[in-house]
Amino acid sequence: MNRQSRPLKTSSIADSPVQHIQSFLSKIFNFLGDALFGQGPKPARRLSLRSRVRAAVRAPLRFPALYATDLVLSGVSLFLATVMRLGLDAANSGSEAFGAVVVAWPMHTAICAIVFPMTGLYMRTWKFASLGDIFQIFKSVFLASLIFVAVIFLYSRLQAIPRSVIAMNAVFLVSLITLTRLSFKLDRMDVFGTGARTQTSFSEMIPVLLVGAGHSADLYLRALQRDRNAQYWPVGFLDVDSAQRDLLLRGVPILGGVDEFDAVMEDLVDRGQAPRHIIFTESPAVFGEGSAEALIERAERMGLTVSRLAPATELRSPREENRFQLRPIELADLLERPQITHDREQLSRLVHGCRVLVTGAGGSIGSELVRQVASLAPAEVVLIDNSEFNLYSIDLELAEKFRDVPRAAYLCNVRDAARVDEIMDRHRPELVFHAAALKHVPMVELNPCEGVLTNAIGTMNVAEATRRIGARAMVQVSTDKVVNPTSVMGATKRLAELYCQALELDDTRPATRGDTTRFMTVRFGNVLGSSGSLIPLFKRQLAQGGPLTVTDPEMKRFFMTIREAVELTLQASAHGLEKKAGRGEIFVLDMGEPIKIIDIARRVIKLAGCVPDDDIKIEIVGCRPGEKLFEELFDDDEKRVRSAVPGILGAVPAPVPLPTLREAFQRIRRAAEKGDAPSVFGILQDVLPGYRRGSSTPAPRRAASNTPVSGPAGTALPVERQAPLGATEEIQA
């Protein structure tokens, strides 16, 4: 017969009764584990009995104190259950039931000593315990109780011990063991506003408003609560449904729906908890495209930074070669104040349908000016820049984002008066924003003649061309370094301010020509994130592992974001033209209190997820050429007035006659073109008595400057803030 043969099962010494018993016990154990406790993936389920016993023996050795505590609690729970059922009198009278429990006590403890390790109770990380881990306690106690009942039944048929004692014992034991596990999480369950923080105090944290009170928000709050170095403090939630109002998610209140954003913001401001950041913890699509876009637009008008929480499942390259890979840093988070808001309708009236020319259009300030102007539907935007790449970049961005806005781009150096005149005659702009300048203080200090030709002579060329074509206004971007200047950069920008003021106040312009061009200057301090400034430097140093270099620990600066500075520049310009206000006045942007640059460095390190002076060091390197310890917003000779525009102050400097300035500009141009630096310095000191070359501190202030001055309506104005300047010099554009 051709029948397929099968291997016969042969008997051997290995098939001994001991092996059969071991196999039988292993199957029973696997069945109980799989049926009751879900022991995990298949590879784990195929563990032999010997491996399970070995793991069970080793597990308590990792947590001997916890193991001993559980055994003690097993006895305590049985005692409590007995006392609750029989009362203390039973113990004193020596009742039969109490005696039976005392006899069963060691058996109960021994059963727990075996069952708890075998069920994996000591193979878990209890610091991160979840509901499933707590349920494991219940299952372990349940199995121990079943075995205890079986043993007592075999021993005494459950005749002496009340059955309710066993049930109560199980309840008490589950509760006591759960409490010990929760103790692992006590230091990680801090509710916002109640716990002490080791690295970051609540006064240093950035208040944020969260949008979306869902699962992702819960995970985010957990992470914030556990991170002692967290920089963000959630003040509340906006949710999809306003019916969730007044509920709490991990101690953070749900303040209303997304359609109630304005009312919620007013309430937070009244309570002194105004957020500086809006974070979408859920996808904006959850709230509807229209609602999310409207909220984002309103938040940006209020000067709030809007971010979206990255998905927890997002994968990123570890980049092991770069230990200090940067997290995204929101520049607005470096300011200890909300950004100033603006009136967009007034800006639209300024720009809509007008031809606008921007010099320095590829720079940090100039490019943001171009973006905001283009968003207001101008008739045409003319771009002028001396950098080919910068001009190409902003022109390409306009082509991609504002295709309907007519534009023209010109490579042009504002020193070249003929080229400036040619462009002005070709396009005849109605508004001119002059942002072109050399602004890096140490670099201009090393090249004073170049600074004079660009900052002073270039401004004169643009201003004269603007006046000649009869534009509505020219707005010059200036800097707080013009006040009591100690650097060539500050001195040359001061000359530019004086020249525009002289043109504004020139009474020799014939009225018949209709020469009504306004010349306005907007002065502000350091701009976070501008090219060549401290934030890009800090980021580069941070990526290299430090140290971050700061010139002096006491230096301070006034800071703004680029967007905030440009919005207020446009706002001041619109106010000056629309209200015919500020003639001969310099608009000074209110930048809040000055900030120590060393504090900016520490905050950059923290926002990148590192610890200052531990992960990243800060090194003091000393002042550089042209830098000074103190920066101011107003000069000694300037009269300060209050502006009607929020966030804008006014300064009226003592004017210099236009003929005097023109003669000085011709002299300093000839000296600069010859490269005669000593003559340049001499002329600067002749025209600007407050110029003190090379001094690291401002000129002494007169006593009169310590008294308040009055605005047009007789309102007392605060004395100007003196700010020690930042150790790493920031440039404006």
Side-chain angles (χ1 to χ4, degrees), residues 292-354:
E293 287 295 330
L295 190 150
I296 292 172
E297 183 178 352
R298 292 200 301 272
E300 290 180 343
R301 288 186 182 181
M302 293 181 180
L304 301 175
T305 303
V306 182
S307 301
R308 178 185 171 187
L309 196 64
T313 55
E314 180 180 337
L315 300 180
R316 296 185 181 183
S317 170
R319 293 187 62 187
E320 295 179 357
E321 74 281 0
N322 184 358
R323 176 187 169 201
F324 298 100
Q325 182 179 3
L326 295 182
R327 300 177 184 178
I329 296 176
E330 296 288 351
L331 296 178
D333 293 342
L334 298 174
L335 299 176
E336 297 178 348
R337 59 172 175 81
Q339 294 192 72
I340 302 170
T341 60
H342 65 285
D343 182 354
R344 190 167 180 84
E345 292 182 2
Q346 189 179 44
L347 301 189
S348 180
R349 292 195 297 270
L350 171 71
V351 173
H352 183 77
C354 292

Side-chain angles (χ1 to χ4, degrees), residues 282-604:
E282 305 287 343
S283 171
V286 173
F287 310 97
E289 184 177 350
S291 298
E293 287 295 330
L295 190 150
I296 292 172
E297 183 178 352
R298 292 200 301 272
E300 290 180 343
R301 288 186 182 181
M302 293 181 180
L304 301 175
T305 303
V306 182
S307 301
R308 178 185 171 187
L309 196 64
T313 55
E314 180 180 337
L315 300 180
R316 296 185 181 183
S317 170
R319 293 187 62 187
E320 295 179 357
E321 74 281 0
N322 184 358
R323 176 187 169 201
F324 298 100
Q325 182 179 3
L326 295 182
R327 300 177 184 178
I329 296 176
E330 296 288 351
L331 296 178
D333 293 342
L334 298 174
L335 299 176
E336 297 178 348
R337 59 172 175 81
Q339 294 192 72
I340 302 170
T341 60
H342 65 285
D343 182 354
R344 190 167 180 84
E345 292 182 2
Q346 189 179 44
L347 301 189
S348 180
R349 292 195 297 270
L350 171 71
V351 173
H352 183 77
C354 292
R355 298 182 302 276
V356 182
L357 182 145
V358 181
T359 70
S364 302
I365 292 292
S367 60
E368 181 63 21
L369 265 169
V370 168
R371 294 184 195 100
Q372 294 197 25
V373 165
S375 70
L376 297 169
E380 182 184 39
V381 177
V382 181
L383 315 176
I384 290 180
D385 202 283
N386 192 42
S387 167
E388 179 187 25
F389 178 75
N390 288 350
L391 184 63
Y392 162 77
S393 298
I394 188 61
D395 183 62
L396 179 63
E397 184 176 343
L398 285 185
E400 293 174 345
K401 297 182 179 179
F402 303 97
R403 297 181 179 179
D404 297 333
V405 176
R407 70 186 191 282
Y410 293 95
L411 276 172
C412 170
N413 193 325
V414 293
R415 303 179 186 182
D416 187 346
R419 174 68 165 161
V420 171
D421 287 341
E422 174 196 345
I423 297 171
M424 291 280 193
D425 288 334
R426 183 178 304 172
H427 294 276
R428 305 194 71 81
E430 298 166 84
L431 295 174
V432 175
F433 291 94
H434 179 50
L438 298 178
K439 305 181 182 71
H440 195 275
V441 171
M443 195 58 63
V444 176
E445 201 69 20
L446 296 174
N447 300 273
C449 296
E450 301 304 310
V452 165
L453 291 174
T454 297
N455 294 350
I457 305 304
T459 300
M460 180 184 71
N461 293 339
V462 174
E464 292 290 354
T466 301
R467 181 184 185 185
R468 182 177 55 80
I469 65 170
R472 288 173 58 201
M474 169 183 165
V475 181
Q476 179 192 202
V477 175
S478 189
T479 168
D480 58 359
K481 290 166 183 58
V482 304
V483 179
N484 295 320
T486 61
S487 64
V488 175
M489 183 272 212
T492 54
K493 293 293 286 183
R494 180 63 165 172
L495 285 179
E497 281 190 358
L498 291 174
Y499 197 90
C500 287
Q501 183 197 30
L503 288 176
E504 172 80 352
L505 299 176
D506 182 21
D507 294 330
T508 64
R509 292 183 290 183
T512 55
R513 289 174 49 195
D515 189 357
T516 58
T517 303
R518 292 290 309 275
F519 292 90
M520 295 176 285
T521 297
V522 179
R523 180 192 297 172
F524 51 85
N526 299 328
V527 179
L528 290 172
S530 58
S531 58
S533 62
L534 66 88
I535 299 303
L537 173 64
F538 281 168
K539 287 184 177 181
R540 185 170 67 253
Q541 292 174 338
L542 192 61
Q544 296 171 353
L548 269 60
T549 56
V550 175
T551 58
D552 191 284
E554 295 302 318
M555 281 187 171
K556 296 181 181 178
R557 284 292 186 271
F558 295 103
F559 285 104
M560 303 187 88
T561 63
I562 296 175
R563 176 175 182 169
E564 185 180 29
V566 168
E567 286 176 346
L568 284 175
T569 297
L570 292 171
Q571 196 79 64
S573 308
H575 176 72
L577 280 177
E578 195 170 89
K579 305 297 183 182
K580 297 184 175 11
R583 185 171 172 81
E585 177 182 323
I586 294 174
F587 296 107
V588 182
L589 305 189
D590 185 2
M591 292 164 285
E593 295 300 321
I595 306 173
K596 285 186 177 181
I597 292 197
I598 196 169
D599 290 342
I600 290 284
R602 290 195 179 102
R603 180 157 287 198
V604 166

Side-chain angles (χ1 to χ4, degrees), residues 223-271:
L224 286 182
Q225 290 167 342
R226 293 171 178 173
D227 186 358
R228 297 288 184 177
N229 298 308
Q231 294 293 304
Y232 299 104
W233 167 41
V235 296
F237 277 103
L238 295 177
D239 201 16
V240 180
D241 186 5
S242 58
Q244 303 293 327
R245 183 198 304 274
D246 298 330
L247 297 181
L248 298 177
L249 176 57
R250 293 194 170 269
V252 180
I254 299 176
L255 303 175
V258 292
D259 56 338
E260 300 175 278
F261 173 72
D262 294 330
V264 168
M265 284 296 300
E266 290 180 7
D267 181 57
L268 289 173
V269 170
D270 292 340
R271 286 189 282 162

